[in-house]
Amino acid sequence: MIAMLVDVTRCIGCFQCVDACAEENRLDKEVAPLPQHAPDDLSAERWTTVVEGPQGRQVRKFCRHCVDPACVSVCPVGAMQKTPEGPVIYDSSKCLGCRYCMMACPFGIPRYEWDSASPRVRKCILCYPRLQEGKIPACVEACPQEVLAFGERQEILALARQRQSKNPGKYLDQIFGEHEVGGTSILYLSDVPLDLLSFHGALGEKAIPEYSWSWLNKVPSVSLGMAGLMTGLFWIIGRRMSAIEKTLAKEQDDQPQAQGGNGEQE
């Protein structure tokens, strides 16, 4: 499985990765932000951005391509797909527009084409067509500061640990994305906390689909149980209504018939 390392300490905020992404994916760089767009400027036409982190650090933000992605697990039609190589891609021909993927993503990445007549969910696909051609992602190729490194995930993790060991005190003792939510294919080295990217303790190390499937596996038994309960209640209520109707009918039959109009008056 492939991965990308983002070394935050090297980023100068030149945005060449953003421009390369837009050019490679034919995104409209002139589209004005909509009210629905997040403050980080990610949108259906902007799949990656650079945000300002603690101590003025420039931090790149884009899809993490989780090892076990929540967006894929919640998609009811398979529009979100985890490829064997690692990137999480999207098939608009299958999409129902339910936006469950947007709600499930722990990093808040997928964006919706709110202003389109036939809207799609859009996000970084890690230049998957380029990877199939044996090329590296456009952003990696365009970065002038070698902020980005690309390769097999184990090799990228080894590179990150090597940089930490060779530069004591330069980096935090953490590789962001190594374990969070089951691990991601986008890994970060940084000298400042990256809570602004949702890398914080609340995420945990367990993959989100493990939580969701533990509940979804109970759905069939719960559904059968509820069906049985409702059937039982329907039968009990039906018997009670029938008993009430019989009682009322019997009371009416026991009442004396009213006398005719010829009775004597005192």
Side-chain angles (χ1 to χ4, degrees):
M1 182 181 296
I2 55 85
M4 183 186 297
L5 179 65
V6 182
D7 191 332
V8 173
T9 67
R10 299 185 178 192
C11 185
I12 59 174
C14 67
F15 283 78
Q16 289 196 37
C17 57
V18 178
D19 292 338
C21 175
E23 183 176 349
E24 177 67 27
N25 296 287
R26 298 180 178 84
L27 305 178
D28 189 349
K29 293 188 286 186
E30 304 303 322
V31 171
L34 294 174
Q36 296 92 339
H37 290 174
D40 58 20
D41 283 338
L42 287 181
S43 72
E45 294 294 331
R46 190 183 182 95
W47 297 359
T48 184
T49 189
V50 179
V51 296
E52 185 170 339
Q55 302 177 30
R57 282 295 185 199
Q58 302 299 304
V59 184
R60 188 177 173 206
K61 182 175 183 179
F62 58 120
C63 178
R64 309 299 190 279
H65 298 277
C66 300
V67 173
D68 191 0
C71 60
V72 173
S73 73
V74 300
C75 182
V77 292
M80 284 289 182
Q81 303 168 8
K82 177 72 172 178
T83 63
E85 298 87 348
V88 177
I89 61 174
Y90 168 75
D91 185 348
S92 61
S93 67
K94 296 180 179 180
C95 185
L96 295 174
C98 66
R99 302 191 294 279
Y100 288 168
C101 56
M102 297 173 63
M103 292 181 281
C105 178
F107 302 108
I109 294 298
R111 295 296 191 267
Y112 195 64
E113 290 181 316
W114 297 100
D115 55 342
S116 173
S118 55
R120 296 167 291 175
V121 175
R122 312 296 300 280
K123 71 169 196 66
C124 163
I125 58 172
L126 211 55
C127 290
Y128 187 59
R130 287 176 63 98
L131 299 186
Q132 291 179 304
E133 295 174 2
K135 301 178 182 178
I136 63 175
C139 57
V140 179
E141 193 173 80
C143 181
Q145 298 297 118
E146 297 185 349
V147 174
L148 309 173
F150 186 77
E152 291 296 320
R153 192 170 189 269
Q154 291 305 315
E155 295 175 357
I156 293 298
L157 283 168
L159 173 62
R161 294 190 183 99
Q162 183 182 60
R163 289 187 185 180
Q164 287 175 326
S165 63
K166 286 186 175 181
N167 301 277
K170 181 178 180 179
Y171 302 102
L172 295 178
D173 187 22
Q174 180 178 359
I175 301 173
F176 296 90
E178 181 178 8
H179 301 296
E180 289 85 353
V181 294
T184 64
S185 294
I186 306 301
L187 305 164
Y188 288 80
L189 276 181
S190 178
D191 58 347
V192 296
L194 296 182
D195 290 0
L196 76 165
L197 297 182
S198 299
F199 279 123
H200 51 75
L203 285 178
E205 296 185 0
K206 190 174 182 179
I208 290 177
E210 293 185 34
Y211 292 104
S212 57
W213 280 114
S214 66
W215 285 99
L216 289 172
N217 286 336
K218 297 180 175 63
V219 168
S221 58
V222 171
S223 299
L224 290 173
M226 286 299 296
L229 176 62
M230 295 305 295
T231 300
L233 288 173
F234 181 79
W235 181 77
I236 293 171
I237 293 171
R239 288 200 60 184
R240 287 181 178 177
M241 293 298 295
S242 178
I244 291 172
E245 289 174 0
K246 289 180 180 179
T247 301
L248 291 175
K250 186 175 185 301
E251 290 177 351
Q252 290 177 355
D253 291 341
D254 291 343
Q255 290 179 358
Q257 296 293 326
Q259 296 295 325
N262 295 326
E264 294 182 359
Q265 296 182 356
E266 293 183 358

